[in-house]
Amino acid sequence: MSDTHAQTVAYVRDTILPQQEPPISEKGVVRWLRANLFPDWFNAILTIVALFIIYKLLAGFLPWFLGGVWTTDSLAECREVLNGATGGCFSVLTERWNQLLFGFSYPDTEYWRPTLAFILLFAAAAPLLFAMYVPSKVLYFTALYPFIAFWLIWGGTIIVPLMALLGFIAGYFVFKQVEAQSFSGALGAAVVAALIVWFIGGFVSEAMTGVLALEPVASRDMGGFMLNFILGTVCVSLSLPIGILLALGRQSHMPIIKWICVGFIEFIRGVPLITLLFVANVVLAYFLPPGTNFDLILRVIIMITMFSSAYIAEVIRGGLAALPKGQYEAADSLGLDYAQSMRLIIMPQALKISIPGIVNVAVGLFKDTTLVSVISMADLVGMIRGPILASTEWNGVYWELWGFAICMFFPVCYGISQYSQWLERQLATDHH
């Protein structure tokens, strides 16, 4: 049969037709619009309504933002410049940015110290957040960072954080020496060793107050977004390990430990955070010896950490309960003791399940640091409500200041949320 005849017979073509272009409605932007915005009449109506709302918001916001004034010294001057036109008075940000970021009393010449501590935080957190991409040797800097940051922000002699570091090192070495004999005994010996070093370090630091000393800054002089960031970072970092211990304690078979953990968790979860902050500010002083100077920021850190650790404990307990019983039995069959099975098998899986809940608590905790303004601490909200809006120059400026607060908090909270989603994708081992 000739080729010409074969091509005329139905279903016996032996040559390939040239590729045809898809219809205009099935490619490019048109296809995307049809698939995502106008798949049917109901979604088309929702898209149109959403576009109308976005248009109205932008039509009101853009002229106000683009027509804003940035160079005046007061609200009255700003209104004179605008002369009835639409525009925001952003001069309050250019004049008071240092108070919004660092508080009212932090020395102007020392702004580089908290700024440097903030930059170093990314290097310290990298091996913890991106362990698969960062060399493990950077963990040494991560261990040193809390002491470096304390010295940079609070100032004083470097001997104080150095002796604090030596206490932890001494406790670690004592723990490793005694761990093989008894875990609880090793923990107790480590605490005793650390306390001894810190006790000696108190005398050493008093004798060497001028060694590598930065200008001391009292806690009452700290404020602005810097205070919110310090509270959020420290409390989230401390509440996670404490929450893990509380979750394990609540599931313990030892009744006293279980009752203590259950009582702590239920009490803290049943009390508003603002109540705990008032306790930290006022009531806690009555339980201390007369003349004791207990730093207010430290008191607030303790209360916020207690509050968030109770919630994280419940999140992790849910992760532990979600694991199949076979995981616990598999750990027992391998001959692992309790600490080994939790560290190597149970807790990694429970933490993976608990990531969304932990992140939810962390984001809520970071936003709740603004509650310290109620106890007269000059955080970002406290600075806006207090010295700035109370001043005659800027009394009446609201949208600009609260918009600045949004621009400070939103990137941090959104970044935490995005990191958690990325981490979930990295740990997704159960996909087929």
Side-chain angles (χ1 to χ4, degrees):
M1 184 181 295
S2 65
D3 292 343
T4 305
H5 179 70
Q7 294 179 7
T8 62
V9 178
Y11 308 113
V12 293
R13 175 180 295 277
D14 61 356
T15 58
I16 298 176
L17 289 174
Q19 185 174 355
Q20 300 293 320
E21 285 287 330
I24 190 67
S25 60
E26 296 298 330
K27 67 176 182 178
V29 177
V30 176
R31 180 181 181 279
W32 186 89
L33 291 174
R34 287 189 60 190
N36 296 279
L37 300 182
F38 303 98
D40 51 53
W41 66 269
F42 181 73
N43 285 283
I45 293 175
L46 292 180
T47 297
I48 294 172
V49 171
L51 290 175
F52 177 75
I53 294 174
I54 293 173
Y55 166 75
K56 295 296 291 184
L57 290 175
L58 293 178
F61 172 75
L62 288 179
W64 175 78
F65 180 77
L66 297 177
V69 177
W70 298 80
T71 56
T72 58
D73 295 327
S74 67
L75 179 60
E77 290 183 28
C78 184
R79 288 172 175 169
E80 289 180 7
V81 172
L82 289 173
N83 194 23
T86 300
C89 187
F90 299 107
S91 301
V92 64
L93 303 181
T94 56
E95 182 174 316
R96 299 296 182 95
W97 66 269
N98 53 341
Q99 296 176 12
L100 292 169
L101 292 179
F102 301 103
F104 198 75
S105 304
Y106 204 90
D108 296 0
T109 57
E110 306 298 318
Y111 287 161
W112 65 272
R113 287 159 46 183
T115 303
L116 178 60
F118 174 74
I119 295 172
L120 293 178
L121 174 64
F122 292 95
L128 299 177
L129 302 180
F130 306 101
M132 62 285 292
Y133 303 113
V134 180
S136 58
K137 292 183 178 179
V138 185
L139 282 171
Y140 291 109
F141 176 74
T142 303
L144 294 175
Y145 174 77
F147 307 96
I148 297 173
F150 175 85
W151 179 57
L152 287 174
I153 296 174
W154 272 268
T157 176
I158 198 174
I159 300 299
V160 173
L162 186 60
M163 296 308 298
L165 173 62
L166 290 177
F168 282 104
I169 294 175
Y172 173 77
F173 278 108
V174 171
F175 178 83
K176 297 303 289 186
Q177 291 295 323
V178 190
E179 182 183 14
Q181 303 174 11
S182 170
F183 180 82
S184 57
L187 191 61
V191 172
V192 171
L195 290 176
I196 292 174
V197 174
W198 291 336
F199 180 76
I200 298 173
F203 297 102
V204 175
S205 59
E206 288 181 6
M208 305 176 67
T209 54
V211 177
L212 287 176
L214 297 173
E215 179 183 346
V217 180
S219 293
R220 63 178 178 273
D221 295 332
M222 297 181 187
F225 186 69
M226 175 185 68
L227 179 58
N228 294 109
F229 202 85
I230 290 173
L231 293 176
T233 304
V234 174
C235 294
V236 169
S237 303
L238 293 176
S239 61
L240 183 58
I242 295 175
I244 292 174
L245 294 177
L246 287 172
L248 295 177
R250 183 159 190 164
Q251 291 195 328
S252 174
H253 297 296
M254 291 182 282
I256 296 179
I257 293 179
K258 182 176 182 178
W259 294 340
I260 292 174
C261 293
V262 170
F264 176 85
I265 292 171
E266 297 302 331
F267 174 77
I268 294 297
R269 292 177 70 230
V271 177
L273 176 58
I274 190 66
T275 305
L276 296 177
L277 294 178
F278 276 117
V279 169
N281 187 35
V282 181
V283 182
L284 202 59
Y286 292 107
F287 297 94
L288 299 174
T292 302
N293 183 20
F294 196 4
D295 190 276
L296 178 58
I297 289 184
L298 181 58
R299 283 183 275 166
V300 170
I301 286 175
I302 291 173
M303 289 300 176
I304 296 179
T305 301
M306 289 169 52
F307 183 81
S308 58
S309 61
Y311 281 87
I312 288 180
E314 284 299 281
V315 172
I316 294 176
R317 185 173 71 91
L320 291 170
L323 288 182
K325 188 178 179 180
Q327 295 295 319
Y328 295 88
E329 295 173 348
D332 293 337
S333 67
L334 292 174
L336 302 178
D337 59 23
Y338 178 80
Q340 291 172 330
S341 63
M342 284 296 165
R343 180 170 58 90
L344 300 174
I345 295 180
I346 304 301
M347 193 53 65
Q349 298 180 73
L351 290 176
K352 175 186 172 183
I353 297 172
S354 306
I355 286 174
I358 294 174
V359 170
N360 188 43
V361 174
V363 170
L365 168 64
F366 185 73
K367 293 185 294 184
D368 284 345
T369 58
T370 56
L371 290 175
V372 299
S373 62
V374 180
I375 58 173
S376 302
M377 294 185 73
D379 74 313
L380 180 57
V381 174
M383 289 302 304
I384 292 175
R385 295 174 56 195
I388 296 179
L389 286 179
S391 63
T392 56
E393 294 89 353
W394 303 111
N395 188 7
V397 178
Y398 295 101
W399 285 101
E400 295 84 349
L401 290 169
W402 296 120
F404 179 82
I406 292 172
C407 292
M408 290 290 101
F409 279 94
F410 177 77
V412 178
C413 297
Y414 182 73
I416 295 173
S417 176
Q418 290 300 303
Y419 169 76
S420 72
Q421 295 179 31
W422 174 83
L423 185 60
E424 287 183 57
R425 292 192 296 268
Q426 295 295 312
L427 299 177
T429 57
D430 52 352
H431 291 172
H432 298 290

